[in-house]
Amino acid sequence: LPHFAPRAKRVIYLFQSGGPSQMDLFDYKPHLAEKFGEEVPESIYPAERKTTMTSGQKSFPLAPSTFKFARHGASGTWLSDAMPHLAKVIDEVCVIKSMHTEAINHDPGAMLFQTGSVIPGRPSMGAWISYGLGNDNADLPAFVALTSNGRAKAGQPLYDRLWGAGFLPGRFQGVKFRGQGNPILDLYNPAGVTPAQRRRMLDALGKMNSAQSTRFNDPAIATRIAQYELAFRMQMSVPELIDFKDEPKSVLDLYGPEATKVGRYAYNCLLARRLAERGVRFIQLYHRGWDAHGNAPKQVATQCRGTDQPTAALLRDLKQRGMLDDTLVVWGGEFGGTIYCQGKLTKQNYGRDHHP
């Protein structure tokens, strides 16, 4: 809108892969308790909107949440007791309840949110941001992807196309940091190879690639040259980036006990803040394990124990550094969970299928 000056300079997207159950987190439905076990009409969930995991059920009983909800903050936003840390910073959050999707399965659902299309091949959101805004730090990628696994259950597959460049030049695709060992393979030179020797090797290789680029006018060659140069600069910048020794204990405590455990959600949230303050435009976190088809009360609680504190800590940390005003933080998955029960319904237990 023209009368609102744009403020966001970067994006941190906390993608909760698997479909977090909005019914157990943000979407309070107080009257559902009195309708426990009632059949959900087919007009609400027609056959074509059900997955093969529940389409064969003979009954679709209504499953109220077992979590307790309360209003929080000056905004009075409803939250379940599964997210006590987020409740303390809820006035920094805008909860959007009007989202919907046409996808009822994980891969096309994630593709739609990341690229705007259920069909693979289009540039991801981060690639567009990288293409449009460029980078504030030539020594790091403009777009970084991070992954972590929740403890509730095995997660859905995550494909490179989710952070791909599509039809844009390849240099705009996300650079994935690994969740174990060195975040980038071959980050350090082999024994006996000095930085000066590596520089001479890249210079010679660059001359040959430039000659080929001039001859064939192939943009892929130009991308390869640029990526070789970025990789060389990252050998200098990334070791400092992933060294958390300069983080005060108060900050590490803010993110929780897993803040220094490589590959955990808390570690990635802290790493996202460090990337953001070093000029990376788009930081994409994927956290798996939200697909609660059975035993949703236990699985949702387990996921929240691993994500609630680090998510709230990221917001607090950005704010105390003056970065929350110009950082867009997004939290969400590819869809939510159904209001009806998948499998057997009891007062203490239920499962939820995909809700688009």
Side-chain angles (χ1 to χ4, degrees):
L1 298 177
H3 55 292
F4 288 103
R7 291 187 298 165
K9 297 179 179 178
R10 66 195 71 84
V11 178
I12 300 176
Y13 194 155
L14 308 175
F15 190 83
Q16 311 299 311
S17 174
S21 171
Q22 80 286 358
M23 308 297 302
D24 298 303
L25 299 172
F26 307 106
D27 200 4
Y28 183 42
K29 304 291 187 185
H31 298 301
L32 291 187
E34 60 195 55
K35 297 181 179 295
F36 175 88
E38 292 186 14
E39 282 295 310
V40 176
E42 189 173 349
S43 60
I44 302 298
Y45 283 102
E48 64 270 17
R49 303 306 293 159
K50 296 184 176 78
T51 73
T52 56
M53 290 171 285
T54 55
S55 59
Q57 286 188 190
K58 296 181 178 180
S59 177
F60 297 90
L62 197 150
S65 178
T66 58
F67 294 93
K68 305 299 181 184
F69 282 76
R71 290 185 181 273
H72 295 277
S75 60
T77 301
W78 288 99
L79 275 181
S80 83
D81 56 2
M83 308 181 92
H85 292 276
L86 188 64
K88 296 176 182 178
V89 295
I90 196 61
D91 284 336
E92 306 295 342
V93 178
C94 174
V95 179
I96 301 175
K97 299 182 180 180
S98 56
M99 300 290 290
H100 70 279
T101 175
E102 296 300 316
I104 61 172
N105 288 310
H106 295 287
D107 188 39
M111 283 299 303
L112 180 64
F113 270 91
Q114 300 303 293
T115 71
S117 172
V118 298
I119 302 173
R122 295 188 62 83
S124 61
M125 193 185 307
W128 278 119
I129 296 294
S130 174
Y131 173 78
L133 298 181
N135 200 350
D136 277 347
N137 187 342
D139 295 333
L140 288 170
F143 177 18
V144 170
L146 309 168
T147 63
S148 57
N149 296 316
R151 291 192 169 93
K153 62 179 298 184
Q156 300 298 320
L158 296 173
Y159 301 102
D160 287 3
R161 61 176 181 266
L162 292 174
W163 49 88
F167 51 72
L168 294 176
R171 66 181 181 276
F172 297 113
Q173 71 182 20
V175 174
K176 182 186 176 183
F177 280 26
R178 301 192 316 146
Q180 57 185 2
N182 292 329
I184 305 294
L185 290 175
D186 303 318
L187 180 61
Y188 302 99
N189 287 326
V193 176
T194 67
Q197 290 173 321
R198 176 69 74 184
R199 180 67 268 171
R200 289 197 300 271
M201 182 196 76
L202 287 176
D203 288 343
L205 188 60
K207 290 179 180 179
M208 291 187 288
N209 281 330
S210 294
Q212 291 293 89
S213 180
T214 301
R215 180 182 178 188
F216 294 104
N217 196 27
D218 184 350
I221 299 177
T223 294
R224 182 62 60 89
I225 296 172
Q227 295 302 80
Y228 281 158
E229 292 299 321
L230 174 61
F232 178 75
R233 296 192 297 272
M234 287 174 65
Q235 287 187 306
M236 311 300 170
S237 62
V238 171
E240 182 274 334
L241 166 72
I242 61 175
D243 185 357
F244 288 5
K245 291 179 182 177
D246 61 342
E247 294 289 347
K249 184 177 183 299
S250 59
V251 171
L252 297 177
D253 290 344
L254 191 65
Y255 284 86
E258 295 187 323
T260 58
K261 295 182 180 178
V262 176
R264 304 306 302 174
Y265 182 79
Y267 176 92
N268 283 349
C269 283
L270 179 52
L271 183 58
R273 190 223 77 206
R274 293 174 66 88
L275 286 163
E277 66 185 351
R278 286 162 175 76
V280 176
R281 290 287 192 185
F282 200 99
I283 303 107
Q284 179 79 66
L285 278 72
Y286 293 92
H287 186 66
R288 297 187 281 193
W290 285 97
D291 198 17
H293 287 280
N295 201 359
K298 179 180 179 180
Q299 291 183 5
V300 170
T302 299
Q303 285 295 102
C304 287
R305 281 194 295 272
T307 60
D308 176 44
Q309 182 176 352
T311 299
L314 177 61
L315 296 179
R316 289 181 183 273
D317 202 4
L318 290 170
K319 186 173 183 178
Q320 71 186 8
R321 294 166 189 273
M323 296 175 63
L324 192 57
D325 288 341
D326 54 14
T327 303
L328 179 62
V329 182
V330 182
W331 189 104
E334 61 269 44
F335 36 61
T338 55
I339 198 172
Y340 66 78
C341 177
Q342 176 177 346
K344 183 179 179 180
L345 173 65
T346 69
K347 287 287 187 179
Q348 293 78 34
N349 196 23
Y350 49 83
R352 298 199 189 277
D353 199 3
H354 307 163
H355 176 74

